[in-house]
Amino acid sequence: MSPTHLDGAVLVVDDDHFQQELIGQQLRDIGWTDLLLADSGDAALQIYDAHRGRIRLVISDLSMPDMDGLVLMRHFAKRKLDAALILISGVSDEILNSAAGLASAHQLRLLGVLSKPNTPEMLAALVSKLNHQAFSRQTSSDASLSPERLRLALDNDEFVPWFQPKVNAQTCMPEAVEALARWPRSGGGMVGPGQFIPAIENAGMADALFYAMSRQVIAAMKKWRQQGIRLKAAINLSMDTALNLDMPEHLHTLVRDGGLQPRDFIIEVTESRLMVERSLAMESLTRLSLMGFTLSIDDFGTGYSSLVQLIDLPFRELKIDGSFVQRSSQEDKAKTILRISASLGKNLNMEVTAEGVETLEQLSYVRDCGCDTVQGYYFAAPMPFDACTQWLLAQTPAQ
Ligand code: C2E
Ligand code: CA
Ligand code: CA
């Protein structure tokens, strides 16, 4: 098993020169001679920036002064590291394991972890995995969803928000609208978010979509205010964007420049990914909440949150997944989950929303469970701006 047929260099990051040399020798012994050495995280990033594209594998120590391996991983994640990664450390296995969890939360391609002192065989076994992994990130087979096409669509502002009202469960008056992304096609069709959002996230363009949606939602709210319609707007946030530490300030600036306030906005984050990447997202989510944005846990019940996890996060709204609402008509279990979720949210002083309400029977049940707000086809489906304006004007008493 020789990696000599593989192109590319290995970047070895370790502040301990003896260890660096040892790994270097083990790599040369298995035939890998193109080595780049860094004795700190800063040096590693400089080398990576200068040689990116050529670096096939990064082997990094975890404990280093100044920038440790955890911080280095965060910087690599920002740069969308396209090399594979091996972590190595003299610390406990527990720490290595949680570092591995962090690497996968950062979506880094981790080949494995090594405890010091490692044997040449252990390193060779991890390196051999490289042969089985594709070098580049996967690209979509559908040409319309290629990164190039998506970039063009973002640059041309082709993605537009449709709006679905969220109404008060008791009065049935609209309190907010949720913005849901739509991609109109030239032939008159419409691509739904289920298709293009994963492609946008894979292409690393989630931030651009979030800002494009935010800008259009802000513009829509300004127009509604001119017509006397005052509502909050909910915007869906991809986990990729929640991990971006600059996002809160950027969003705040957009909102302020539009003459609006953070309290006019609800930011919805899907529960399943939230729990996987919770600690990483905590910083920007907490900052959003400090700025006054309302944070909402979307699709509640489909992930695996524990009570402890919920208590730690600054969420003020809990949205019970529509599948429970719809199944509640037939299944007692779904009914029970819905009731318990609503009561959990109420007991944590959260605003509870039921989504996907399609019938009067479902509305009565979610009301009975104590849900504060309701969303679903029973009231209105997502609509383009003009249709939503008509709908809102018909609901709102003249002022
Ligand atoms: P979501 O945030 O859970 O949005 C609710 C979905 O349920 C929407 O699907 C909505 O059209 C649909 N829906 C609303 N009422 C009913 C109902 O009564 N019955 C049924 N069966 N469905 C109902 P949509 O618009 O296709 O969006 C799918 C998902 O795509 C969203 O789920 C959200 O996770 C994601 N998404 C949409 N827009 C964006 C966006 O701008 N950014 C991000 N990151 N994700 C978005
Ligand atoms: Ca949502
Ligand atoms: Ca949802």
Side-chain angles (χ1 to χ4, degrees):
M1 179 230 34
S2 155
T4 44
H5 62 283
L6 297 173
D7 300 325
V10 188
L11 171 60
V12 181
V13 193
D14 204 312
D15 58 308
D16 176 346
H17 287 265
F18 174 74
Q19 180 68 24
Q20 213 180 49
E21 188 40 48
L22 186 74
I23 296 283
Q25 192 52 51
Q26 292 179 348
L27 287 167
R28 281 188 287 269
D29 286 348
I30 53 175
W32 212 322
T33 51
D34 190 359
L35 306 183
L36 298 163
L37 306 177
D39 56 10
S40 69
D42 278 325
L45 291 172
Q46 279 179 23
I47 294 176
Y48 179 74
D49 289 342
H51 298 271
R52 88 176 293 170
R54 188 179 135 212
I55 297 175
R56 181 81 200 273
L57 171 66
V58 176
I59 301 181
S60 176
D61 185 26
L62 272 186
S63 335
M64 294 182 286
D66 302 327
M67 186 191 296
D68 64 26
L70 299 181
V71 178
L72 179 60
M73 276 200 280
R74 171 143 58 80
H75 286 286
F76 275 142
K78 261 197 177 158
R79 288 166 163 78
K80 305 263 175 228
L81 178 74
D82 49 10
L85 179 68
I86 292 176
L87 294 173
I88 179 160
S89 172
V91 296
S92 70
D93 285 354
E94 283 81 16
I95 295 184
L96 264 179
N97 287 339
S98 65
L102 193 65
S104 83
H106 277 309
Q107 296 186 309
L108 298 174
R109 197 147 48 91
L110 185 71
L111 294 182
V113 296
L114 287 174
S115 307
K116 286 182 193 176
N118 66 287
T119 63
E121 291 75 26
M122 286 152 78
L123 180 65
L126 289 187
V127 168
S128 74
K129 287 194 191 173
L130 259 186
N131 298 329
H132 306 295
Q133 296 205 354
F135 198 0
S136 59
R137 283 166 173 253
Q138 251 186 329
T139 49
S140 166
S141 53
D142 184 344
S144 71
L145 296 175
S146 69
E148 295 71 30
R149 182 65 190 91
L150 293 170
R151 167 55 56 204
L152 192 71
L154 283 163
D155 289 347
N156 294 343
D157 258 340
E158 290 177 32
F159 298 100
V160 293
W162 279 27
F163 298 94
Q164 184 178 35
K166 276 168 94 166
V167 308
N168 181 297
Q170 299 306 327
T171 65
C172 296
M173 291 301 287
E175 293 192 337
V177 288
E178 177 177 2
L180 294 154
R182 294 290 182 268
W183 190 11
R185 305 319 305 273
S186 42
M190 187 72 67
V191 185
Q195 282 179 56
F196 62 78
I197 297 230
I200 285 187
E201 289 178 348
N202 282 338
M205 297 171 192
D207 291 8
L209 176 70
F210 178 70
Y211 297 133
M213 289 288 289
S214 300
R215 270 195 301 273
Q216 297 181 75
V217 170
I218 290 166
M221 285 172 82
K222 285 172 70 177
K223 286 192 196 154
W224 283 330
R225 292 203 170 192
Q226 285 160 7
Q227 301 182 58
I229 304 171
R230 290 184 79 85
L231 290 166
K232 287 187 172 207
I235 307 175
N236 291 283
L237 178 72
S238 282
M239 203 46 157
D240 291 335
T241 308
L243 298 177
N244 173 353
L245 297 179
D246 304 331
M247 174 272 294
E249 197 48 55
H250 193 148
L251 178 65
H252 199 181
T253 306
L254 288 179
V255 165
R256 231 180 355 225
D257 291 353
L260 296 165
Q261 311 259 354
R263 63 161 182 267
D264 300 323
F265 295 86
I266 304 165
I267 306 297
E268 300 191 0
V269 191
T270 305
E271 186 208 357
S272 48
R273 284 197 62 198
L274 182 64
M275 290 309 144
V276 180
E277 287 153 275
R278 175 174 158 266
S279 43
L280 287 171
M282 188 95 144
E283 184 170 338
S284 40
L285 294 180
T286 305
R287 188 155 298 135
L288 282 178
S289 144
L290 284 172
M291 287 170 167
F293 291 96
T294 301
L295 295 186
S296 168
I297 304 186
D298 206 349
D299 299 343
F300 185 80
T302 58
Y304 303 93
S305 347
S306 75
L307 278 176
V308 179
Q309 288 170 319
L310 276 183
I311 288 167
D312 282 353
L313 288 165
F315 283 92
R316 300 231 322 266
E317 182 190 63
L318 185 154
K319 274 185 102 166
I320 301 172
D321 192 63
S323 62
F324 297 108
V325 177
Q326 278 144 33
R327 285 163 55 189
S328 71
S329 310
Q330 285 100 37
E331 296 172 39
D332 286 345
K333 271 190 192 160
K335 266 203 169 86
T336 306
I337 293 175
L338 208 163
R339 188 175 290 278
I340 288 175
S341 303
S343 118
L344 171 64
K346 295 310 319 165
N347 280 296
L348 291 173
N349 285 325
M350 294 166 93
E351 169 112 8
V352 177
T353 299
E355 60 176 20
V357 172
E358 294 180 353
T359 65
L360 180 60
E361 182 204 352
Q362 290 164 357
L363 173 65
S364 319
Y365 187 68
V366 302
R367 255 187 197 149
D368 187 52
C369 290
C371 294
D372 305 291
T373 36
V374 202
Q375 204 178 341
Y377 297 161
Y378 181 71
F379 295 98
M383 302 169 268
F385 175 79
D386 287 334
C388 188
T389 307
Q390 293 310 314
W391 189 94
L392 291 168
L393 285 171
Q395 312 295 314
T396 318
Q399 303 193 349

